Amino acid sequence: MRVALLVTCLVDGMFPDVGQATVAVLERLGHQVEVPLAQTCCGQMHINTGYRRDALRLVRRTVAAFEGYEAVVAPSGSCVGSVRHQYAGLAAARGDTGLAAAATDLAARTFELSEFLVNVLGVTDVGAHYPHRVTYHPTCHSLRMLGVGEAPLRLLRAVRGIQLEELPAAESCCGFGGTFALKNPDTSTAMLTDKIRGILDTRAEIITAGDSSCLMHIGGGLSRLRAGVRPVHLAEILASEPAKVA
């Protein structure tokens, strides 16, 4: 299958290993992965903060950048949620019916990584090996907007060597929410504190999730506590392989 990577702003600018890991997993499964260079920000931040005219330009650019691909995959439930649930409505509200139709087509071809692997390809074992104690945080957009459900956990359970620990109050938000953390820092910090308490209770070495934004927030809190727990994106775990013996 010819697959395009929607790399996302955070991955492109701050966490490039996540994008590389996503490509590695898909190529391991035999798919041709391309990264359209015309892509920029998906526009989610602009839509959510009311800059709809600016967002519409980004929607138009994104729709054009991913035209013709069988599937578009992103290591982010947040950005996929925007493409799938905001694009067409925004275009229609601005009176651009052609763009709305094209956005609807793109939405049907755009997937978060775990749902693409499990629900589209029917794969749960990607050949990963990760001998660490891990707990999983289901991010809000993947859980509530996309409904990925058990897909990430099914993938993690199939990883060789992993010790997967259940996270208490897993479905509670970590407190990031993009600009929410900036506009409501005290509330965000309180939510993060609860999330970190749950992570530490698992005694895990690794906290994983499907969104770099949430992991950045959680990782910052863990770092300030010197907790010794590392944030690792789901894609990086799935891309891991046994060490080669020389």
Side-chain angles (χ1 to χ4, degrees), residues 116-137:
F116 182 69
L117 294 172
V118 175
N119 300 337
V120 178
L121 300 182
V123 173
T124 53
D125 187 346
V126 299
H129 177 265
Y130 198 75
H132 298 284
R133 187 171 181 143
V134 177
T135 192
Y136 167 72
H137 165 63

Side-chain angles (χ1 to χ4, degrees), residues 146-194:
L146 301 181
V148 302
E150 289 279 304
L153 288 170
R154 291 178 66 187
L155 291 162
L156 287 168
R157 289 173 187 140
V159 173
R160 291 159 185 79
I162 199 169
Q163 184 177 343
L164 191 59
E165 302 291 341
E166 183 176 355
L167 179 64
E171 296 187 359
S172 297
C173 178
C174 72
F176 180 66
T179 56
F180 172 84
L182 301 177
K183 294 178 179 179
N184 304 277
D186 293 340
T187 303
S188 173
T189 300
M191 296 169 76
L192 175 62
T193 300
D194 290 341

Side-chain angles (χ1 to χ4, degrees), residues 41-60 62-63 78-94 99 103 106 141 145 177 179 183:
C41 175
C42 72
Q44 177 192 185
M45 176 177 63
H46 305 72
I47 297 171
N48 291 346
T49 50
Y51 293 91
R52 300 200 162 208
R53 182 177 300 174
D54 296 314
L56 195 66
R57 289 196 289 267
L58 292 167
V59 169
R60 186 172 290 110
T62 302
V63 167
S78 177
C79 296
V80 170
S82 183
V83 172
R84 195 180 295 174
H85 294 289
Q86 294 180 319
Y87 271 27
L90 176 65
R94 305 295 294 190
L99 180 59
L106 176 61
H141 285 90
M145 286 187 79
T179 56
K183 294 178 179 179

